[in-house]
């Protein structure tokens, strides 16, 4: 009896939590869809697309930065899941080129999202958020250095940073209209091949 | 007589303009000094260092973005003046390496400034602001392609973008503590040599 009363007293607060979570999900779903579709999306547009009032949205995400970080966290969940299935075995040089080509669609899919959040989070935060993926590439570079496929006269950290910079630069060149979606991965592969060669 | 009266009537407004310009100069001088000295500088700190009230500062620069753009404009005036004296004659390959080494101190001097404004202006604005300097490098790359020193299988725009990205990545690596000020220009030269080689 006492238990029943307690549970019933709790229900409204549990209900509020469930409502809040549903709103958060609506905001992140609509936000990810909208941020990924084109640059220059406003928070008001996200609220409207989510069917949520702006006050409610700001209650969950008080600033554009907090919304941006939550959207990137959600996008990275999918990206990291995709990377878990990536086969990085085989000769390091060929494997790096294959992986860059195969995974380019993730970069292409997240290009507008990145453009929308770039003013809201620090470059350091964004780089750190890439760490799980970069760790896998770092292992691949190390393997290539061990078996003679890649140069060893540059710091490993720099080789990784150069790749990170050039991948994002290639994506930005598509946005700027200076590269096509088809050109970008091939130009990236050709550039890193030259850069990594012993 | 009429002229004298008019001139005298105008004086207060002329005086106000002179005061305003003096305040703007104080803000930009203090801002450039402070923004260049370390990351994480607040607008309130700029006002304090300039000996100006925050309300006065916001009167001239209503947002952090407007202050950032004015500071970058002033910094670029000096950087462009330095670039006007750069000798880009001689074999393109050697010249590019020499110029990268000689001009690295400008990048190093503006590293903290860039870190302070990166969240306030778009990457597109920042890239466009570099155009006068990039134009001189583009001419050098074209000359190197013509005389066989540089590859011709990558778009000229990409070769320029790769340089722009890697230069800034190298500066960021110093801030992140992954490269030293001495290493950075040499690693950059070695990377671009590999990337540009036919």
């Amino acid at each position: 009896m006492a238990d029943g009363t307690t549970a019933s007293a709790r229900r409204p607060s549990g209900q509020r939590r469930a409502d809040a979570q549903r709103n958060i999900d609506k905001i992140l779903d609509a936000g990810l869809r909208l941020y990924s579709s084109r640059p220059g999306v406003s928070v008001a547009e996200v609220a409207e697309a989510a069917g949520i009032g702006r006050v409610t949205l700001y209650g969950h995400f008080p600033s554009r930065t907090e919304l941006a970080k939550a959207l990137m966290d959600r996008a990275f969940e999918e990206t990291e899941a995709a990377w878990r299935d990536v086969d990085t075995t085989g000769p390091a040089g060929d494997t790096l080129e294959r992986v860059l080509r195969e995974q380019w669609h993730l970069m292409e899919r997240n290009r507008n999202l990145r453009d929308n959040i770039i003013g809201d989070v620090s470059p350091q935060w964004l780089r750190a958020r890439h760490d799980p993926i970069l760790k896998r590439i770092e292992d691949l570079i190390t393997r290539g250095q061990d078996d003679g496929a890649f140069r060893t006269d540059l710091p490993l950290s720099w080789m990784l940073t150069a790749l990170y910079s050039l991948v994002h630069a290639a994506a930005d060149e598509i946005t700027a209209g200076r590269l096509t979606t088809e050109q970008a991965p091939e130009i990236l592969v050709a550039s890193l091949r030259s850069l990594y060669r012993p």
Side-chain angles (χ1 to χ4, degrees), chain A:
Chain A
M1 283 294 175
D3 278 3
T5 313
T6 311
S8 136
R10 269 185 197 146
R11 212 164 287 145
S13 132
Q15 187 56 49
R16 272 199 303 277
R17 271 200 302 277
D19 287 348
Q21 191 52 54
R22 223 177 346 262
N23 282 342
I24 290 172
D25 286 341
K26 279 186 199 167
I27 293 164
L28 295 181
D29 286 347
L32 206 50
R33 204 169 50 240
L34 212 51
Y35 270 42
S36 303
S37 67
R38 60 177 170 83
V41 175
S42 70
V43 173
E45 287 173 310
V46 173
E48 199 188 330
I52 299 274
R54 283 167 70 169
V55 173
T56 305
L57 187 149
Y58 282 115
H60 295 299
F61 303 103
S63 72
R64 216 183 134 92
T65 294
E66 278 156 280
L67 178 61
K69 287 184 174 178
L71 290 173
M72 288 309 281
D73 281 341
R74 180 162 286 204
F76 268 108
E77 279 169 25
E78 293 174 38
T79 303
E80 282 161 29
W83 267 87
R84 270 193 292 275
D85 298 328
V86 169
D87 173 21
T88 54
T89 58
D94 294 346
T95 303
L96 182 69
E97 297 189 7
R98 175 174 55 75
V99 167
L100 282 169
R101 287 193 181 97
E102 280 177 9
Q103 301 304 304
W104 179 258
H105 72 279
L106 294 173
M107 192 63 237
E108 180 55 30
R109 200 189 59 183
N110 292 329
R111 189 162 55 83
N112 284 319
L113 172 62
R114 184 165 165 275
D115 214 64
N116 271 301
I117 61 98
I118 202 95
D120 305 319
V121 300
S122 72
Q124 292 81 4
W125 184 89
L126 199 56
R127 163 77 191 245
R129 200 64 197 71
H130 284 78
D131 275 349
I133 296 170
L134 289 174
K135 183 69 186 70
R136 298 211 45 198
I137 298 178
E138 189 179 334
D139 292 344
L140 186 55
I141 300 174
T142 307
R143 195 152 61 75
Q145 287 183 320
D146 288 347
D147 68 18
F150 298 146
R151 71 202 291 171
T152 54
D153 64 325
L154 292 177
L156 176 61
S157 60
W158 172 249
M159 290 176 74
L160 198 61
T161 290
L163 178 143
Y164 178 83
S165 307
L166 293 178
V167 166
H168 290 104
D172 291 342
E173 289 296 276
I174 298 176
T175 304
R178 287 188 291 257
L179 282 185
T180 67
T181 307
E182 292 69 37
Q183 279 178 306
E186 293 312 314
I187 277 171
L188 198 56
V189 162
S191 300
L192 288 168
R193 190 187 295 146
S194 306
L195 196 54
Y196 281 10
R197 193 166 33 203

